Amino acid sequence: MESQYLKQCLGTCLKKGLAEVVEHRPADPIEYLAHWIYNYRRILDEEKKRMLERIELEQEREAALVELETLRKMKEEELMIQKKLEEQHQSQLEQEHEQLELQNEDDKVLEKEKTIAELTDRLGAPNLTSVEEVDESGQSENITDLTEETEQESSELI
């Protein structure tokens, strides 16, 4: 029973320590073995600590990788949203441009359809010179300036 306890608790340590004593053959093997066992415990504690640190570092590394992946996905999503917004803005600008072109074409058509009389009703219309018309009988009649007529019509309205 005691041997079972010693194997379980000190087996590995004593095996390695005794192997070191046989290998080095110190002058005082008991003192050498005592120091070796003392250092062995410190070394085991340091190895345990290093192992825990490695595990912790690995977990932090994995968390950092997950965070980087999340950031990358968010950046991709942001770029996609920005691209969609730009496309929508571009299509909206194109629609507005087409509407302006249609409106300009409609204005040009309306402007062409206006008669001379409509154009001369405006203030600042050009002065037209008088024109002589000849009747069938050969007599000439003077037609007054259209501008004088428009001035008379405007003075009558006032």
Side-chain angles (χ1 to χ4, degrees):
M1 214 159 178
E2 293 174 10
S3 64
Q4 189 72 5
Y5 170 76
L6 288 176
K7 280 184 182 178
Q8 188 177 17
C9 295
L10 300 173
T12 308
C13 175
L14 281 177
K15 282 181 193 176
K16 289 181 181 179
L18 291 174
E20 286 286 322
V21 169
V22 171
E23 185 179 320
H24 292 282
R25 296 188 185 256
D28 189 2
I30 295 173
E31 187 178 340
Y32 184 85
L33 183 61
H35 284 292
W36 191 91
I37 291 173
Y38 179 76
N39 286 332
Y40 179 78
R41 181 66 188 169
R42 188 176 46 96
I43 290 170
L44 283 180
D45 290 343
E46 287 177 4
E47 284 181 10
K48 236 185 217 181
K49 186 178 176 182
R50 277 194 297 257
M51 181 68 92
L52 291 174
E53 286 176 353
R54 274 191 228 128
I55 291 170
E56 187 179 334
L57 284 174
E58 186 62 30
Q59 290 172 347
E60 288 177 4
R61 181 180 167 272
E62 288 175 6
L65 289 175
V66 168
E67 185 177 345
L68 282 175
E69 183 66 22
T70 303
L71 287 174
R72 185 188 62 79
K73 287 180 181 179
M74 288 175 63
K75 187 69 173 178
E76 285 178 2
E77 186 176 330
E78 181 182 344
L79 290 174
M80 288 175 54
I81 290 171
Q82 187 177 18
K83 185 178 178 181
K84 286 180 183 178
L85 286 175
E86 287 176 0
E87 289 173 357
Q88 289 175 351
H89 182 68
Q90 185 66 27
S91 66
Q92 184 180 9
L93 287 176
E94 289 174 359
Q95 288 175 352
E96 289 175 2
H97 182 70
E98 289 174 3
Q99 288 176 351
L100 284 175
E101 285 181 354
L102 290 174
Q103 187 177 7
N104 286 341
E105 289 176 8
D106 291 344
D107 289 347
K108 287 179 183 177
V109 169
L110 288 176
E111 217 172 270
K112 287 180 181 178
E113 292 176 356
K114 289 184 180 179
T115 62
I116 294 177
E118 290 174 334
L119 292 174
T120 56
D121 284 345
R122 292 186 185 167
L123 292 177
N127 293 334
L128 300 176
T129 59
S130 60
V131 178
E132 285 188 27
E133 289 187 10
V134 178
D135 279 352
E136 292 177 8
S137 61
Q139 296 177 344
S140 66
E141 290 183 7
N142 283 336
I143 298 177
T144 59
D145 272 338
L146 291 177
T147 55
E148 289 176 9
E149 288 178 11
T150 57
E151 288 175 7
Q152 289 175 359
E153 288 174 3
S154 64
S155 64
E156 290 174 3
L157 292 175
I158 296 175

